[in-house]
Amino acid sequence: MQVRELDVRDAYEFIPTTFSDNRGLFVAPMQEPALQEAIGHPLWVAQTNHSISARGAIRGVHFADTPPGQAKYIYCARGSLLDVVVDVRVGSPTFGRWDAVRLDDTEFRAMYLAEGLGHAFIALEDNTAMSYLCSVGYNPRAEHGVNPLDPALNLPWPTDLTPVLSEKDAAAPTLAEAEASGLLPQYADCVAYYEKLRAG
């Protein structure tokens, strides 16, 4: 398993080895030793999510109140997608920056996003299946969003796709509006929580 730290702090790309033969393919997209070495603590999995998306569907930018926030480990089980992490933590050295990784059912690359980071993706083909492991269960009162089409963020959505958004995501505030309203996580709170996790 290869690991690459992304431009956004506390986000990582994982590249597993795939094994193919006349029966098909085997891969382990999530391997705890590699993840723990990268982030400094185990990932407690409280919920697994699975979504099927049509070509052009955008989900996000989603984040949760931190602490406890919601860390995510993400891979594409079928099809292909562009996965995007956005630093929405006020006070972070990489606040407002993003990074993106193509996830697909050929290489089975994965992404880890620490608590407090924003997450979004766009399906690059129909019937794209995404699976992700979450550190805490879904709490609708603690989950928030930033508009994925915020021009100030300028996220790397392919220009040949027509974005398809939920009403909730389309109505989400821009990053500047979310910051002004006090909606965004504070970087200092997130870092203190990461240290608590590392301390066990």
Side-chain angles (χ1 to χ4, degrees):
M1 176 76 83
Q2 298 178 53
V3 183
R4 181 176 71 92
E5 189 169 4
L6 300 181
D7 288 341
V8 171
R9 279 196 178 184
D10 306 304
Y12 298 84
E13 176 188 12
F14 293 83
I15 308 166
T17 301
T18 58
F19 302 92
S20 301
D21 60 23
N22 60 340
R23 300 168 297 171
L25 175 144
F26 176 85
V27 64
M30 192 281 192
Q31 299 173 34
E32 179 69 23
L35 176 61
Q36 185 167 343
E37 183 177 350
I39 67 175
H41 62 85
L43 174 64
W44 171 259
V45 178
Q47 180 173 310
T48 60
N49 296 339
H50 189 82
S51 66
I52 308 293
S53 298
R55 185 173 187 265
I58 295 177
R59 299 179 189 263
V61 177
H62 299 151
F63 62 93
D65 292 336
T66 306
Q70 188 184 64
K72 297 176 180 176
Y73 191 93
I74 304 145
Y75 70 94
C76 180
R78 183 180 67 225
S80 59
L81 59 93
L82 185 67
D83 204 64
V84 178
V85 55
V86 182
D87 197 341
V88 297
R89 303 167 300 179
V90 176
S92 168
T94 54
F95 176 73
R97 289 171 56 184
W98 55 262
D99 205 342
V101 174
R102 178 188 167 95
L103 306 181
D104 58 38
D105 61 6
T106 302
E107 294 186 315
F108 290 92
R109 293 172 184 247
M111 282 180 63
Y112 171 81
L113 287 65
E115 295 85 350
L117 292 173
H119 174 245
F121 73 90
I122 185 169
L124 301 177
E125 55 188 285
D126 284 332
N127 295 313
T128 289
M130 168 187 267
S131 294
Y132 42 114
L133 313 178
C134 302
S135 62
V136 300
Y138 174 67
N139 179 357
R141 290 178 296 179
E143 174 140 344
H144 310 287
V146 168
N147 195 304
L149 302 182
D150 178 356
L153 280 178
N154 193 29
L155 298 181
W157 308 130
T159 56
D160 62 328
L161 297 180
T162 301
V164 180
L165 278 66
S166 69
E167 290 183 10
K168 180 179 177 181
D169 288 344
T174 64
L175 183 66
E177 290 168 343
E179 182 181 10
S181 68
L183 193 65
L184 301 178
Q186 297 294 313
Y187 182 64
D189 294 339
C190 294
V191 169
Y193 189 67
Y194 306 155
E195 291 302 321
K196 180 180 177 181
L197 292 171
R198 293 183 183 115

